[in-house]
């Protein structure tokens, strides 16, 4: 249960004074729906209101806070004229100017004869010193608050700084000191204050320098967020390891038969990865290992051999892919190789229905089916394996190990192997998977040729179409990927359909279309027409849809390449050039291209090293943008910026590891405080894994 001290932070922002449903909607746009979201909404600038001159000395164009006597209200005769309030101090007089004024409100805030503190931008208008619409007005008692440095928060249309600032203050007032979860020695070394003090400091910048992500206060907050992330992952992993495991040892017979049937030898890194997996499986504890390698690096073959080891021991193995098309793709790779070992492979996706589906389910339950490939349909309620020993999860370019592990944990004592094709930088690996065992496949199978990559403006579409014509006349197959519109799949589809129509006017029946809104059978037909049929150009929408392996495809055209993450572009490009033929990739952009966008696309021209591409993308755009966070399933951080706080991540990982070693159920004093940290950063799910969670 979430500690009571945090409950106030986890109410809706409407619980704050001054925040009604309309304002809450606006706050949701910049920060979130809950009070705690406002705590993480840090100032991006400051307004210094400490300048407190006499009227006669006030410099026009600066923000000043002045103590004035209210002399007279001048109500305009014509409502289009401004309402003026004349004020003065002992050095001179100043006019406050209001358009569309509410007279009653002004009479109340600025009663004639009284002294008031007013803050705003000083202007000179002819001989008059003016402030038009002061930012703040208050009594002399409030001078300390008014004559301060004001934090400026990122805003959205309709949300004023005044309103948001007040809401943030309200949120901060709802915080209490929490028991310290950080290691005292670590705090001392870094010169960090407590969580609450750091939070208050971060929200009360006194200078521009205080806005830097490198201030002690902001670093502390970033660290807390990373520690919550690392601790949560460590707990998931610990939980996996605690579940009973088993030792899986095959006799190598099936693997031998398949290896003999392979038309190639395993690369050294495939051999190493496989050996690591086999050792893990033979071990009595549960395996939780990641195989990381670029598209085409040979992960699937490694996974199949691991699955065969499970089958040799008398158990079953399953491979789960993120989409139906990919599941079919894996089936196509695996089926003939498994056949060499005398095994049948079953396919189970959302499309297997009725009697067919029942047959497969019966086979899994009886153990007749030894190897299954599919989507998450494999792990639906009514699917029970007789003895599933190994689950291989192909994440492609999505992440979400958390959720998938929970899913996988449904089964018995199974080992888990996660395959990922995205060569994400080490820092991001850590945030997505924690300290998971990793096998890497850095080298590509021999014989691959580099892909000729060009960057062209969309205005040269006619040239591109000419080039495509030359290619298909020579027998090439062309992928044509259409823009990714983040907000709307419908728009994606519309754009692709439009391009399909236009290309159809040039190439007629030789153009096909596949997109996410199509029914499974339609997709299959479109794919088949492309791989073995008359279609030479396949227009496709999202990355997922082109996660297919067509050896014949040698040209990849990507429209609006500037909208994709570099890693995604790299993935897409990896779809061509898998055969003997020379391959090309055309990255089409809508001009004008920003310098940054140009630099990003140029990286793709320069290298096809996925790790380098990922590192550069992280450097140029920051983690949030790297894979399009929304799509990738990578954790999005509010306070930590990995391009600046990368060093803290390593610290958080080590700390999480130590914590788990010393107090695996977070029961000691520091452990209890750490539970609060997990709740604070909404890692509630991780707390459930604790024995007394
Ligand atoms: P991934 O799953 O990493 O994208 P695959 O396992 O599907 O890669 O392999 C891509 C292609 O390379 C397949 O056609 C596969 O048969 C082939 N391949 C895999 N390993 C090797 C190897 N050691 N030598 C040559 N070709 C290989
Ligand atoms: Mg094991």
């Amino acid at each position: 249960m979430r500690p009571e001290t945090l409950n106030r932070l986890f109410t809706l922002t409407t619980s704050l004074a001054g925040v009604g449903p309309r304002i809450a909607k606006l706050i949701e746009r910049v920060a979130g729906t809950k009070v705690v979201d406002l705590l993480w909404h840090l100032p991006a600038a400051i307004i210094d209101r400490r300048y407190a001159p006499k009227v006669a000395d006030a410099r026009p164009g600066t923000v000043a806070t002045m103590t004035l006597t209210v002399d007279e209200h001048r109500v305009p005769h014509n409502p289009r004229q401004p309402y003026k309030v004349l004020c003065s101090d002992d050095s001179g007089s100043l006019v406050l100017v209001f358009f569309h004024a509410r007279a009653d409100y002004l009479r109340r805030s600025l009663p004639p004869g009284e002294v008031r503190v007013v803050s705003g931008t000083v202007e000179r208008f002819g001989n008059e010193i003016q402030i038009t619409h002061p930012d703040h007005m208050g009594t002399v008692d409030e001078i300390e608050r008014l004559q301060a440095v004001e934090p400026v928060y990122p805003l959205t249309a309709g949300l004023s700084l005044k309103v948001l600032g007040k809401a943030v203050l309200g949120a901060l007032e709802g915080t209490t000191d929490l028991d310290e979860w950080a290691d005292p020695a670590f705090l001392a070394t870094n010169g960090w204050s407590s969580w609450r003090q750091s939070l208050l400091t971060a929200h009360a910048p006194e200078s521009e320098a205080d806005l830097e992500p490198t201030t002690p206060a902001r670093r502390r907050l970033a660290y807390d967020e990373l520690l919550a992330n690392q601790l949560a992952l460590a707990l998931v992993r610990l939980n996996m390891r605690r579940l009973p495991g088993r030792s899986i040892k095959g006799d190598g017979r099936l693997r031998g038969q398949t290896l003999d049937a392979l038309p190639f030898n395993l690369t050294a890194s495939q051999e190493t990865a496989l050996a690591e997996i086999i050792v893990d499986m033979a071990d009595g504890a549960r395996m939780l290992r990641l195989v990381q390698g670029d598209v085409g690096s040979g992960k699937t073959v490694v996974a199949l051999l691991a699955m065969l080891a499970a089958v040799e021991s008398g158990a079953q193995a399953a491979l789960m892919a993120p989409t139906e098309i990919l599941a079919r793709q894996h089936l196509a790779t695996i089926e003939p190789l498994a056949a060499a070992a005398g095994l049948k492979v079953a396919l189970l996706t959302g499309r297997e229905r009725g009697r067919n589906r029942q047959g497969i389910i019966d086979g899994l339950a009886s153990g007749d089916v030894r190897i299954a490939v599919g989507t998450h349909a494999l792990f639906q309620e009514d699917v029970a394996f007789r003895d599933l020993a190994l689950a291989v999860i192909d994440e492609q370019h999505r992440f979400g190990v958390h959720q998938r592990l929970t899913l996988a944990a449904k089964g018995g004592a199974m080992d888990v192997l996660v395959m990922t094709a995205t060569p994400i930088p080490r820092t991001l690996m850590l945030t997505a998977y924690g300290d998971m065992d990793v096998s890497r496949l850095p080298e590509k199978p021999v014989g691959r040729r580099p892909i000729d990559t060009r960057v062209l403006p969309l205005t040269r579409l006619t040239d591109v179409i000419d080039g495509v014509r030359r290619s298909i006349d020579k027998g090439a197959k062309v992928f044509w990927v259409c823009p990714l519109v983040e907000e709307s799949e419908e728009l994606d589809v519309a754009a692709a359909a439009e391009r399909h129509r236009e290309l159809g006017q040039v190439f007629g029946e030789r153009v096909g279309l596949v997109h996410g809104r199509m029914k499974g059978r339609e997709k299959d037909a479109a794919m088949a027409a492309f791989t073995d049929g008359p279609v030479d150009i396949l227009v496709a929408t999202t990355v997922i849809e082109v996660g297919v392996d067509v050896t014949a495809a040698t040209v990849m055209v990507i429209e609006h390449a500037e909208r994709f993450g570099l890693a995604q572009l790299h993935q897409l490009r990896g779809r061509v050039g898998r055969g003997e033929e020379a391959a090309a990739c055309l990255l089409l952009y809508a001009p004008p291209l920003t310098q940054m966008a140009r630099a990003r696309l140029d990286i793709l021209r320069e290298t096809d090293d996925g790790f380098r591409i990922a590192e550069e993308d992280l450097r140029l755009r920051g983690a949030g943008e790297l894979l399009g966070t929304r799509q990738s399933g990578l954790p999005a951080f509010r306070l930590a910026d990995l391009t600046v706080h990368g060093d803290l991540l390593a610290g958080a990982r080590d700390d999480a590891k130590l914590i788990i070693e010393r107090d695996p159920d977070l029961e000691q004093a520091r452990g209890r405080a750490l539970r609060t940290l997990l709740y604070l950063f909404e890692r509630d799910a991780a707390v459930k894994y604790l024995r007394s969670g």
Side-chain angles (χ1 to χ4, degrees):
M1 277 263 289
R2 182 192 301 135
E4 255 172 55
T5 43
L6 296 187
N7 281 349
R8 254 187 92 177
L9 300 179
F10 285 88
T11 54
L12 297 176
T13 54
T14 44
S15 68
L16 295 166
V19 182
R22 191 181 65 84
I23 299 292
K25 273 236 164 64
L26 296 171
I27 291 180
E28 185 178 349
R29 251 185 244 164
V30 294
T33 55
K34 297 180 296 315
V35 173
V36 73
D37 295 319
L38 284 168
L39 300 183
W40 313 145
H41 194 58
L42 296 183
I46 53 168
I47 300 174
D48 191 343
R49 301 190 182 280
R50 286 174 300 190
Y51 177 55
K54 290 284 182 191
V55 169
D57 305 328
R59 283 191 306 274
T62 56
V63 172
T65 304
M66 290 183 276
T67 306
L68 305 166
T69 304
V70 181
D71 298 322
E72 189 191 337
H73 282 237
R74 290 236 173 111
V75 185
H77 302 298
N78 177 344
R80 281 164 58 192
Q81 294 294 314
Y83 187 114
K84 292 186 175 180
V85 180
L86 310 190
C87 304
S88 61
D89 65 8
D90 56 15
S91 75
S93 58
L94 178 147
V95 183
L96 302 177
V97 180
F98 299 89
F99 292 90
H100 312 290
R102 276 179 24 227
D104 55 335
Y105 164 73
L106 290 178
R107 289 233 162 247
R108 252 185 293 121
S109 337
L110 299 163
E114 304 262 324
V115 176
R116 284 292 181 269
V117 177
V118 171
S119 185
T121 306
V122 178
E123 300 152 23
R124 178 183 290 280
F125 196 73
N127 281 335
E128 262 177 21
I129 303 290
Q130 298 187 338
I131 294 180
T132 306
H133 290 270
D135 303 322
H136 299 289
M137 302 186 291
T139 62
V140 177
D141 296 347
E142 297 171 286
I143 192 158
E144 217 174 296
R145 181 173 65 80
L146 297 176
Q147 198 191 320
V149 178
E150 188 181 11
V152 177
Y153 294 97
L155 298 168
T156 184
L159 184 63
S160 73
L161 179 57
K162 220 171 189 171
V163 170
L164 182 61
K166 193 169 161 222
V168 173
L169 268 183
L172 289 170
E173 277 162 16
T175 60
T176 52
D177 286 311
L178 301 174
D179 290 337
E180 186 55 70
W181 51 74
D183 176 47
F186 187 67
L187 284 183
T189 326
N190 283 287
W192 289 349
S193 323
S194 71
W195 168 74
R196 179 148 184 269
Q197 188 51 54
S198 304
L199 188 68
L200 295 177
T201 305
H203 279 281
E206 301 210 328
S207 66
E208 297 280 337
D210 288 346
L211 301 167
E212 296 291 327
T214 46
T215 61
R218 291 205 182 205
R219 275 174 65 81
R220 153 101 220 215
L221 295 177
Y223 180 78
D224 289 339
E225 185 174 39
L226 293 170
L227 182 60
N229 161 265
Q230 289 299 296
L231 190 58
L233 288 167
L235 288 173
V236 171
R237 184 181 142 108
L238 178 72
N239 181 61
M240 279 292 294
R241 302 237 151 189
R242 265 184 186 162
L243 296 170
R246 64 198 271 192
S247 167
I248 299 287
K249 285 186 190 140
D251 56 11
R253 191 173 43 85
L254 300 175
R255 273 171 283 168
Q257 287 168 5
T258 292
L259 281 170
D260 287 344
L262 285 179
F264 49 76
N265 293 318
L266 295 185
T267 63
S269 45
Q270 280 173 319
E271 296 270 15
T272 310
L274 188 62
E276 286 165 344
I277 294 164
I278 297 298
V279 167
D280 278 0
M281 288 173 69
D283 187 279
R286 284 194 168 212
M287 170 170 78
L288 183 52
R289 180 172 284 277
L290 186 71
V291 178
Q292 188 187 21
D294 236 338
V295 169
S297 60
K299 297 182 296 296
T300 311
V301 173
V302 171
L304 171 66
L305 291 165
M307 293 203 280
L308 291 177
V311 175
E312 284 164 14
S313 80
Q316 294 164 294
L319 189 163
M320 180 173 90
T323 68
E324 192 186 307
I325 289 190
L326 282 166
R328 283 171 197 280
Q329 193 75 63
H330 283 310
L331 182 74
T333 310
I334 284 174
E335 209 166 31
L337 297 176
L343 289 173
K344 275 222 183 78
V345 181
L347 178 73
L348 186 61
T349 72
R351 272 172 70 197
E352 275 64 48
R353 299 233 173 88
R355 201 175 301 165
N356 180 18
R357 177 169 192 274
Q358 197 52 51
I360 296 163
I361 290 182
D362 291 345
L364 293 172
S366 69
D368 285 350
V369 174
R370 315 295 295 274
I371 296 186
V373 173
T375 58
H376 58 272
L378 278 173
F379 292 98
Q380 268 161 7
E381 299 258 325
D382 61 336
V383 180
F385 290 80
R386 188 178 69 87
D387 182 19
L388 184 62
L390 173 67
V392 181
I393 300 168
D394 177 13
E395 301 215 321
Q396 282 288 318
H397 31 250
R398 284 179 170 256
F399 302 88
V401 76
H402 240 113
Q403 174 198 343
R404 302 224 168 101
L405 288 185
T406 328
L407 203 66
K410 273 179 48 166
M414 76 176 104
D415 286 336
V416 174
L417 188 66
V418 179
M419 303 198 285
T420 172
T422 309
I424 54 175
R426 173 105 192 109
T427 38
L428 292 188
M429 280 288 282
L430 267 181
T431 66
Y433 297 101
D435 224 1
M436 197 159 158
D437 296 317
V438 179
S439 299
R440 289 204 173 77
L441 300 179
E443 41 175 318
K444 297 238 173 101
V446 283
R448 294 271 164 77
R449 292 220 242 158
I451 298 160
D452 180 14
T453 302
R454 301 188 185 198
V455 180
L456 294 166
L458 264 167
T459 43
R460 288 187 49 196
L461 195 61
T462 336
D463 296 341
V464 173
I465 289 175
D466 285 345
V468 164
R469 187 200 320 275
R470 282 193 297 276
S471 298
I472 60 177
D473 285 348
K474 277 189 259 163
K477 297 268 179 180
V478 178
F479 272 124
W480 190 298
V481 180
C482 275
L484 184 88
V485 184
E486 284 268 330
E487 284 74 33
S488 155
E489 193 186 350
E490 255 164 77
L491 288 180
D492 287 2
V493 170
E498 177 62 17
R499 180 60 72 216
H500 174 240
R501 203 181 54 74
E502 283 168 15
L503 290 174
Q505 282 168 2
V506 182
F507 297 108
E509 299 295 297
R510 297 171 82 179
V511 189
L513 175 67
V514 63
H515 61 69
R517 287 285 169 93
M518 281 179 161
K519 294 219 172 62
R521 201 159 302 166
E522 290 173 313
K523 278 190 220 170
D524 283 354
M527 290 306 302
F530 182 56
T531 47
D532 311 308
V535 169
D536 294 323
I537 305 170
L538 186 64
V539 179
T541 47
T542 64
V543 184
I544 311 290
E545 301 313 323
V546 283
V548 289
D549 191 359
V550 180
T551 322
T554 50
V555 180
M556 169 71 66
V557 181
I558 304 173
E559 269 190 59
H560 285 291
E562 77 278 4
R563 293 189 193 164
F564 290 82
L566 279 194
Q568 286 173 320
L569 291 174
H570 175 64
Q571 298 265 352
L572 285 171
R573 180 172 62 176
R575 292 293 155 202
V576 295
R578 312 189 110 198
E580 301 291 297
E581 300 294 308
C585 176
L586 303 180
L587 303 173
L588 306 184
Y589 63 86
L593 210 50
T594 62
Q595 222 177 344
M596 155 102 75
R598 178 89 226 176
R600 293 178 56 240
L601 294 180
D602 280 346
I603 292 165
L604 283 172
R605 256 188 356 179
E606 281 161 26
T607 182
D608 72 340
D609 175 344
F611 283 92
R612 223 205 102 198
I613 289 169
E615 298 283 356
E616 288 289 330
D617 211 14
L618 177 65
R619 194 174 60 75
L620 285 174
R621 296 204 304 167
E625 302 269 337
L626 187 56
L627 301 138
T629 306
R630 203 178 67 89
Q631 285 230 352
S632 67
L634 276 176
F637 294 112
R638 304 286 303 269
L639 301 161
D641 172 353
L642 293 172
T643 52
V644 199
H645 300 130
D647 63 319
L648 294 178
L649 181 63
R653 176 204 55 197
D654 295 344
D655 212 3
K657 203 165 162 184
L658 248 145
I659 291 161
I660 299 279
E661 268 166 29
R662 290 191 189 150
D663 182 15
D665 284 295
L666 304 184
E667 281 167 339
Q668 293 157 23
R670 188 177 172 208
R672 291 267 151 200
L674 283 159
R675 289 176 179 224
T676 305
L677 172 74
L678 290 171
Y679 281 113
L680 186 60
F681 285 100
E682 300 178 56
R683 301 296 201 281
D684 304 27
V687 184
K688 296 212 184 73
Y689 292 127
L690 301 172
R691 281 212 175 107
S692 51

